[in-house]
Structures are given as structure tokens and as C-alpha cells.
Amino acid sequence: MASSPRPAPAHTHRYGPQSARNADLEVLLTDGLGGFALSSMAGVPTRCYSGLVVSQLPPVQRFTHLVSPLEVLTVGGVRHTLHALELAPGVFEGRGLEVLSGVTLRDLLPERVQAVGGVRVTRRVVSPAHAGAAVYLYTVDSREAVTLTLGGYFVDRDMHHVHTEAPRLTFEANGPEVTVRGERGTRVQIHAPDPQLTPWPPSRFPSACITATTRLAANPITTTRWARRCGRFSFRQAAVRWRWWSRG
């Protein structure tokens, strides 16, 4: 029996590369438990509330764990950063805004498109209901094999507070799962064909990673859940899904 076609989005709105950079345009994805994922439409954290916020006692006691994914695309040995962190007004770590092609909101869910080095990278974000999680789905279209390194900038604080020094975090890798521990915990699971995980020592800034390297055939779909550090993949036309979730 054939499956029914996926319904078209009820709402679609497209923003070009200039309008999508507007820091006042933000996306708030809620999980139904008091938690949320917040960033600018282009994926840039713009305030202390940006990132993945999880409620330890729904709907109160909300803590921030992930500020932003770290995203690096390597094409022909040249590294291109896809993320962007604003260190001071107009000063960014990462070139994500420079390579931004546009953003589309489909039923209010953001779909960011970037193009660099002849490669197109699309990122979609969703916060599943009652999961305390943010899911990042990356689709990479390239004529040659490329490497996408995904990681994260992490904190461990009350959503209303800021760190006065680097948080004390530890990272534990157990097969495809990585656990980030401070006063609370954040977890990541990586699902990919035969991933090889190699721990890297963490650093304060920019973040270091746990890497997972795999060669993918054309057009596979890999589901990924995760919470800290990086996964490194080599693809030709592939999709990767990362899920970050936290529990106290």
C-alpha cells in the first residue's frame, strides 16, 4: 500500500541573504515543557537566552546547555566555518553570515541554506514535543567528497545568568553516545554508518570535539542525536541529523 504524500507546509516565507542576517529576526522553538531553542533566523546566538534551554522541573528551573553548534566544512583541504558567534558588535567568530544564501520558514521551522566552495549545505532545526531537545538536520550537496565537522559551544548555567569564567565541563564518550557533565548533564548520540569516534581534548574557545569519521555513499540518510563536541563526516550528497538533549 502506497504511503500518502506529505502535506505541503501551511506557511512558507523566504528571506534573502541580506534580510536573513537581521539579528532582530529570531526563531523560538518550544518543547511543551518550558524549554526552548532560540537563535536568530540565520542561527546566530544574539542574547544570553540563545541556545538550548531545558526545564529541570517543568515549566520552571530552566538551564542553558548548548549555545550554538560549531560547523566547519572542509572542501579540497580548505576549511570553511558555517557558524557565526558575535564576540562584539559586528565582530564574529566564524563566516556563517558571509556564506548565507537565505533562510526559509516552513510552518515556522527554519531552513538555512549556505553555499561555499561549490558546496550547498542546508540546515533544518526542530524541537520535538516533550523531548527537551533540539534536532539539527544537515543536507550536504557536493560534486566531490567533502568533510563536515559538527560540534558545539557549551555552557551550564541558569538561563538568566552568565558565566564569569569558563564552565567546568567533562566529556565522556561511550560508543556513539557522548555525555557532557557539569552540574547537569547533556547527551549526544551519533548514528552514522560505521562511525569511528576519536576523543579530542576539550578547549575553552573555540570548542574541541569528539570526532566521528565515515565515508558515505551517494544520498544516504543518517540519523544523529547528540549533545557536545564534534562529529566529522565525509560525504557526497548526504543528510545528517543531530539531536541534542539534556536532563538534570
Side-chain angles (χ1 to χ4, degrees):
M1 180 177 178
S3 59
S4 58
R6 178 180 299 178
H11 170 86
T12 300
H13 194 94
R14 294 180 173 85
Y15 297 83
Q18 294 302 319
S19 58
R21 298 181 187 188
N22 187 346
D24 292 332
L25 297 177
E26 295 181 303
V27 176
L28 177 67
L29 305 176
T30 60
D31 64 5
L33 295 174
F36 57 83
L38 172 68
S39 73
S40 77
M41 193 163 53
V44 180
T46 56
R47 59 178 83 195
C48 70
Y49 299 107
S50 295
L52 175 62
V53 174
V54 175
S55 175
Q56 304 297 313
L57 183 63
V60 296
Q61 294 187 13
R62 292 182 287 185
F63 295 89
T64 302
H65 298 267
L66 168 71
V67 174
S68 170
L70 173 151
E71 305 155 327
V72 178
L73 181 72
T74 304
V75 184
V78 180
R79 299 173 76 254
H80 305 277
T81 51
L82 304 181
H83 60 272
L85 300 177
E86 192 168 19
L87 307 181
V91 179
F92 291 90
E93 195 285 318
R95 298 182 55 237
L97 295 180
E98 300 175 34
V99 299
L100 182 65
S101 298
V103 175
T104 299
L105 295 181
R106 302 185 190 278
D107 289 338
L108 303 182
L109 299 178
E111 179 182 294
R112 185 194 70 186
V113 178
Q114 295 168 299
V116 61
V119 180
R120 175 188 171 101
V121 180
T122 302
R123 188 185 84 175
R124 301 173 180 88
V125 187
V126 65
S127 180
H130 301 159
V135 176
Y136 295 84
L137 169 63
Y138 294 85
T139 303
V140 180
D141 295 300
S142 175
R143 294 181 179 273
E144 60 179 306
V146 299
T147 299
L148 178 62
T149 301
L150 299 173
Y153 294 92
F154 284 81
V155 293
D156 181 27
R157 56 172 171 77
D158 184 280
M159 63 176 283
H160 300 292
H161 299 166
V162 295
H163 284 302
T164 57
E165 58 183 19
R168 297 181 182 273
L169 301 175
T170 61
F171 306 94
E172 303 168 5
N174 182 16
E177 182 171 296
V178 178
T179 301
V180 187
R181 296 193 183 280
E183 292 184 22
R184 289 152 289 272
T186 305
R187 292 187 297 157
V188 172
Q189 284 186 353
I190 301 175
H191 297 271
D194 301 320
Q196 299 175 2
L197 301 182
T198 304
W200 287 5
S203 60
R204 294 186 176 183
F205 187 89
S207 163
C209 337
I210 288 230
T211 63
T213 306
T214 184
R215 303 287 295 190
L216 301 181
N219 299 320
I221 300 293
T222 57
T223 16
T224 306
R225 302 174 178 175
W226 84 318
R228 153 74 195 188
R229 298 196 182 179
C230 304
R232 178 174 290 169
F233 298 88
S234 298
F235 330 93
R236 284 188 179 90
Q237 296 177 322
V240 179
R241 223 176 252 144
W242 302 87
R243 180 176 179 183
W244 315 68
W245 79 104
S246 301
R247 284 288 180 263

